Amino acid sequence: MRRYLAFNFRSMKTLTLGLTLVRHGETQYNKDGLLQGQAIDLPLSETGLIQAEAAGWYLRDVKFSNVFASDMLRAKQTAETIMKCNTSCSALQIVCDPLLKEKSFGTAEGGRLQDFKDMAKAAGQSFPGFTPPGGETQEQVKERVKEFLEKMLQQIGAEHFHERGQDEIALSAPPETSPAEGKADDGVKDVPVHALVVTHGAYMCVAVRYFVEELRCCLPQGSDKAHMFSLSPNTGLCRFILTLRKQNDRFLLSALRCVFIHRGDHVKQ
């Protein structure tokens, strides 16, 4: 996947795509400090359902054209709850994709999160990057992120490029826009295509790091990378703006910008 175009002032057709990542709501294991991964497929707790509804009401007037979710129950429930509250999702269907599953933590799944952190520390590694026996490496999770992103771009390009694509001047970086104002539609108010993707905490950590370090995502002014690469809270929101261009029969990412990261103002503490 090419990162950016060289300066090229000829007109070409591009498609601007909003991407809002959401971590699932709380489960009982989250509350109890236990590690879920892939083997533990619990529903949302009562608090998690309230969090998902709060996220839905926060996003109720934000327009979405596509909805994707991990095929794990906690993510599907979160996506369904958000969609029920949203004014633009009544005709949409969730695409459940196993590529969005949480990272597998192998033998550590079902155990205490603190024990996992202690294992990582003893091995001289950080959480959640540590891989216990039988678990996925960060590189393996990143490959799933890359595969899902490519799959999503091709689907959305095929569905929306002909109708929504616009002739623009291709530049080497995303266009400058006003900073986020704390509004639900920050960055996507005039964006014609917007995907909601509901997934998991460790998966989102890997995705954000991949966007920043390898796809050279443009960051909001004053961004703290330690915060960017941290674990998002339950129903935390991250938003990105992508620019796609068509080359032959494929849709390529030509620019990527972060609007905000780990926003959780909608969740009452």
Side-chain angles (χ1 to χ4, degrees), residues 1-268:
M1 184 182 296
R2 286 186 63 180
R3 293 173 181 169
Y4 294 113
L5 299 174
F7 278 103
N8 183 350
F9 290 97
R10 65 186 177 83
S11 177
M12 67 167 54
K13 204 167 189 179
T14 64
L15 177 70
T16 300
L17 163 66
L19 172 63
T20 297
L21 301 179
V22 184
R23 185 188 176 194
H24 63 80
E26 182 199 79
T27 66
Q28 189 63 42
Y29 263 44
N30 289 143
K31 183 178 181 179
D32 294 341
L34 300 174
L35 201 58
Q36 295 171 104
Q38 295 183 4
I40 313 297
D41 195 13
L42 293 178
L44 298 180
S45 64
E46 183 177 346
T47 296
L49 289 169
I50 293 171
Q51 291 171 339
E53 187 170 354
W57 279 106
Y58 180 75
L59 296 169
R60 65 188 180 278
D61 294 323
V62 176
K63 293 182 179 180
F64 293 105
S65 57
N66 300 79
V67 180
F68 302 89
S70 159
D71 62 351
M72 304 198 75
L73 182 57
R74 55 194 184 270
K76 289 192 291 184
Q77 282 188 306
T78 302
E80 289 166 354
T81 303
I82 291 173
M83 291 177 71
K84 286 178 183 176
C85 299
N86 187 273
T87 58
S88 65
C89 288
S90 60
L92 299 182
Q93 290 188 336
I94 302 174
V95 176
C96 292
D97 197 322
L99 291 171
L100 292 168
K101 279 183 185 290
E102 178 59 296
K103 174 180 177 177
S104 170
F105 294 101
T107 58
E109 293 184 356
R112 294 196 315 143
L113 181 60
Q114 187 57 52
D115 291 342
F116 178 79
K117 291 181 178 180
D118 292 342
M119 290 169 62
K121 185 176 181 180
Q125 298 184 36
S126 63
F127 169 80
F130 174 63
T131 302
E136 281 185 295
T137 65
Q138 296 292 86
E139 191 65 28
Q140 287 173 321
V141 180
K142 186 178 74 174
E143 286 304 310
R144 287 201 284 120
V145 170
K146 292 168 67 175
E147 188 176 347
F148 171 75
L149 181 62
E150 174 67 12
K151 185 177 178 180
M152 182 188 73
L153 295 185
Q154 299 315 309
Q155 177 183 328
I156 287 179
E159 290 177 358
H160 300 287
F161 199 92
H162 177 73
E163 178 183 357
R164 301 286 189 175
Q166 297 179 348
D167 288 323
E168 297 178 357
I169 299 298
L171 300 175
S172 61
E176 292 294 326
T177 58
S178 57
E181 300 176 349
K183 297 180 180 179
D185 63 353
D186 279 341
V188 294
K189 187 174 182 181
D190 298 314
V191 173
V193 183
H194 185 192
L196 172 68
V197 176
V198 183
T199 181
H200 305 264
Y203 185 97
M204 283 175 64
C205 285
V206 174
V208 171
R209 186 176 288 272
Y210 171 62
F211 289 176
V212 173
E213 294 185 344
E214 298 191 36
L215 298 185
R216 300 291 185 258
C217 176
C218 292
L219 305 179
Q221 188 172 5
S223 294
D224 176 3
K225 284 192 176 181
H227 173 64
M228 291 204 72
F229 298 155
S230 65
L231 191 67
S232 195
N234 288 115
T235 66
L237 311 173
C238 301
R239 181 167 294 155
F240 300 87
I241 303 299
L242 294 72
T243 303
L244 308 186
R245 65 183 177 88
K246 189 173 184 180
Q247 181 173 297
N248 299 323
D249 293 327
R250 298 197 64 76
F251 301 96
L252 306 180
L253 178 66
S254 61
L256 176 63
R257 175 175 64 85
C258 177
V259 181
F260 57 75
I261 201 84
H262 305 324
R263 183 178 288 181
D265 300 343
H266 54 281
V267 179
K268 295 180 181 179

